[in-house]
Amino acid sequence: MEKLIRNTDKKILLMSHLVLGYPSLQANQEVIGEMVAGGVDLMELQIPFSEPIADGPMIARANQSALDNGFKVREGLAFIADTIKTHKIPFLIMTYYNILLAYGVEDFIKEAARIGVKGLIIPDLPPQEAAQAIGWCKEYGNGELDWIQLMTPTSSDARLQEIAGSASGFVYCVARKGVTGNKTDFGNELAEFIKRCRAATSLPLAVGFGVKSREDVAQLTDLAEIAVVGTAAIKIHEEQGAKAVGNFFAGLR
Amino acid sequence: MIKGYFGSYGGAFIPEILHETFQQLTAHYEAARNDPAFWAEYIALMENYSGRPTPLTFAANLSTKLNKKIYIKREDLNQTGAHKANNVMGQGLLVKKMGKTRVIAETGAGQHGVATATMAARMGYDCTIYMGAVDVERQRPNVFWMQQLGAEVVPVKSGSQTLKDAVNEAMRDWVGSMDNTHYVLGTACGAHPFPEMVSWFQSVIGQEAREQILKLEGRLPDRIYACVGGGSNAMGVFQGFLSDNGVELIGVEAGGRGVDTPQHAARIASNDASEGVAQGYKTFFLQDRDGQMLHTHSVAAGLDYVGISPILADLHVKGRVRFIAAKDDDVVSALKYLMKNEGLIAALESSHAVAGALMEMADIKDGSVVIINLSGRGDKDIFTIADALGDPGWKQFIAEKAKQYAGESS
Ligand SMILES: Cc1ncc(COP(=O)(O)O)c(C=O)c1O
């Protein structure tokens, strides 16, 4: 994805996030259309898991609700395949490692590559456990399927180096401690953290966790290549419907 | 062997944000483990505060009835009435070394929550306990005590609203609060170093039991029974005998309404579990084809957990520990039986070990020596047990109490 991300005249790219099957795949389809129309450049599709430890209350509830409504991984992958055929932007899968394990890690990655997924974000599979999965991404992805690594403010410089060593596509920088959905102060501390990430990697950086307004995005413009918007969009979808989500993204830049 | 792995189980599958926190914890744990003074301080504390060593009580009436020599390891006599105190006080000492000021914990039965709250009160830490909303209902007396001890109790309404969901919520707290907060995990599960560290603190049970049985019987036991939720009390007692191959070790899981129904929590002693990674570690989980965790059931809130200690998973694969399941009904009968015959009120969790032993006593030679680990006492279960027994006097008392409270609030 690195080339795709560099090859733009936009000041910053927007990556949106949604939970598959919440409130339904049909509703997902509609909101994805609105997001793309609203100018979203990349999209993270989360496959729900019953134990989403890295997610905040809002996304955790969405995971549970999708499962209660009968979400199945194979249907989710078929939906992703259709979505990729319909829209031209890069789509990534975000989920937890157990979903891959249950499917068969190699088979899952093979399938993701086959349907044209551009990246995998698996927050509970740390770099020291991920070598084999990264290898399969390379083997089956032909350079088109990136394993997205996460950098966090608590990671030491040495650890950031280690993470960078196996990163490709871009690096996802977690703007602060805590789970998704809480407020982030995009102040000096963030700038310091991003500087440490830049020192560790030459890949583009995406900054996520708590981005929710035009001001937040403007502040990130000088810091990062990609702004990630998750919980804020789910909230707008819940409260005001799919159309409002498109307008929200159109107004962010 | 890779650090933190037991055969192919264990590991540390944690969000990157917690990487340094686990490094720090592991470093302090390893330093403590290599420092004989730390263990001495721990033992002194447990002797003085928690009444250790706990007795190995000869169950004279059971032994006569069953023609065996049955001994009960009395973890119910610990401070707060369960083995949970062993782990909690050990981690409490580590918290001091790490310079943290707040502790959080998950709890199922509430025993680990109460133990953590007492430790926090004594050692001067702030304390938040996460507890599934379903468990808050069925273990209300423990909620009362946690609150009186000064802990904040947060009912968890996500997922199945039981133990695993309390673990997730505690993790969500920790990823934001790790600078001043330690997560006191209550069982031998989770990411490295927890399974190993919790087992280490609990190993005091087996060390004592080994010494005691040698003194009382002049020989090692033939069998040891322990109930298995996450696996900490079982690991605790088993560790005293792991290299004694003549000692058969039996873990008793929650059979619920039967392992042929979906309503149980038997990971090993059923066909419903498979290898997976969740809550930070790799083990056998009760999960569906997609890898989603299943809803579990047990009459004992402390046993209905989807995963099992990676160390026990490995001991199962290696054939060193055998696993069986005891059903709710048999557990309640065993509880009554032990109460009437020995005057011991066991927790519903611990009554699984008793039920498991009773199920199998006909299979072994007369005169065999058997140890049952009684992980905790049953007072906390008074509502559940009274329900199971359908005691009319108790119902009437509660109805009258309710009337009285209703009058006060109107
Ligand atoms: C009295 C008692 N025994 C056993 C358990 C199960 O835990 P473990 O398997 O870690 O010993 C609990 C858990 O709450 C408990 O309270």
Side-chain angles (χ1 to χ4, degrees), chain B residues 27-321:
Chain B
H28 277 93
Y29 156 63
E30 284 174 354
R33 196 147 184 173
N34 291 322
D35 175 11
F38 182 92
W39 188 255
E41 182 187 1
Y42 168 69
I43 293 296
L45 174 64
M46 294 310 288
E47 285 177 2
N48 186 257
Y49 189 61
S50 197
R52 299 211 76 91
T54 60
L56 186 68
T57 300
F58 181 58
N61 297 322
L62 248 63
S63 295
T64 305
K65 281 196 169 166
L66 301 167
N67 277 321
K68 310 286 180 294
K69 290 185 159 181
I70 300 176
Y71 288 86
I72 313 256
K73 180 62 176 161
R74 301 293 305 284
E75 291 306 298
D76 59 313
L77 292 179
N78 270 293
Q79 153 78 352
T80 69
H83 69 295
K84 299 288 177 187
N86 303 332
N87 168 40
V88 155
M89 298 311 287
Q91 290 198 43
L93 292 176
L94 271 187
V95 171
K96 201 172 289 171
K97 297 224 182 280
M98 290 188 288
K100 296 189 173 179
T101 57
R102 174 175 177 260
V103 291
I104 56 175
E106 86 295 344
T107 195
Q111 288 302 103
H112 175 58
V114 172
T116 304
T118 59
M119 176 271 278
R122 180 177 161 111
M123 298 188 176
Y125 307 132
D126 292 332
C127 180
T128 302
I129 304 293
Y130 292 93
M131 187 169 188
V134 170
D135 293 333
V136 168
E137 281 297 311
R138 56 178 172 169
Q139 301 284 345
R140 194 62 185 74
N142 276 340
V143 174
F144 172 81
W145 285 123
M146 285 185 267
Q147 289 168 338
Q148 300 310 308
L149 285 158
E152 180 195 7
V153 180
V154 181
V156 177
K157 299 213 172 75
S158 57
S160 58
Q161 313 192 13
T162 59
L163 187 54
K164 74 174 177 61
D165 310 288
V167 171
N168 291 339
E169 216 51 44
M171 286 294 286
R172 285 188 192 115
D173 182 316
W174 209 21
V175 297
S177 65
M178 69 290 244
D179 287 348
N180 71 347
T181 299
H182 174 66
Y183 176 14
V184 184
L185 193 69
T187 189
C189 291
H192 178 71
F194 280 107
E196 200 181 300
M197 180 172 75
V198 173
S199 298
W200 181 50
F201 290 129
Q202 294 293 1
S203 68
V204 65
I205 305 174
Q207 285 177 17
E208 288 175 8
R210 193 171 203 286
E211 213 170 284
Q212 290 165 324
I213 198 71
L214 287 175
K215 196 155 158 202
L216 290 161
E217 282 294 329
R219 72 170 181 100
L220 291 170
D222 298 293
R223 288 190 176 187
I224 301 177
Y225 289 88
C227 70
V228 182
S232 68
N233 87 87
M235 276 306 300
V237 68
F238 290 168
Q239 280 170 108
F241 306 88
L242 275 181
S243 45
D244 305 308
N245 284 326
V247 181
E248 195 181 353
L249 307 174
I250 301 109
V252 187
E253 297 182 279
R257 303 204 168 94
V259 294
D260 48 349
T261 77
Q263 288 169 310
H264 65 81
R267 289 76 27 117
I268 310 289
S270 81
N271 296 319
D272 299 340
S274 51
E275 285 182 11
V277 168
Q279 306 209 311
Y281 67 111
K282 184 170 185 189
T283 192
F284 292 94
F285 285 101
L286 288 163
Q287 57 182 335
D288 70 12
R289 186 173 102 101
D290 272 359
Q292 314 293 356
M293 297 302 139
L294 297 170
H295 287 241
T296 52
H297 163 82
S298 168
V299 68
L303 299 190
D304 69 352
Y305 178 55
V306 290
I308 184 168
S309 173
I311 310 180
L312 286 173
D314 182 45
L315 289 169
H316 154 66
V317 168
K318 293 196 170 118
R320 181 66 189 95
V321 176

Side-chain angles (χ1 to χ4, degrees), chain B residues 311-341:
Chain B
I311 310 180
L312 286 173
D314 182 45
L315 289 169
H316 154 66
V317 168
K318 293 196 170 118
R320 181 66 189 95
V321 176
R322 180 165 63 83
F323 288 85
I324 59 176
K327 288 206 273 196
D328 287 351
D329 291 348
D330 296 332
V331 167
V332 173
S333 304
L335 186 150
K336 282 198 272 188
Y337 189 77
L338 188 69
M339 200 154 48
K340 295 265 164 65
N341 285 289

Side-chain angles (χ1 to χ4, degrees), chain A residues 48-53 55 67 72-74 98-99 101-102 123-124 126 129 154-156 159 163 177-179, chain B residues 5 12-17 19-20 159 164 168 171-172 175-176 178-179 276-279 287 289-293:
Chain A
F49 179 44
S50 57
E51 320 302 317
I53 47 170
D55 285 299
L67 295 174
K72 292 279 176 280
V73 170
R74 281 158 185 81
N98 203 48
I99 298 295
L101 267 181
D124 65 340
E129 293 280 358
T154 58
S155 317
S156 67
R159 178 71 177 171
I163 296 168
K177 293 171 199 158
V179 289
Chain B
Y5 272 89
F13 297 84
I14 48 171
E16 179 57 27
I17 192 97
H19 178 80
E20 299 294 332
K164 74 174 177 61
N168 291 339
M171 286 294 286
R172 285 188 192 115
V175 297
M178 69 290 244
D179 287 348
V277 168
Q279 306 209 311
Q287 57 182 335
R289 186 173 102 101
D290 272 359
Q292 314 293 356
M293 297 302 139

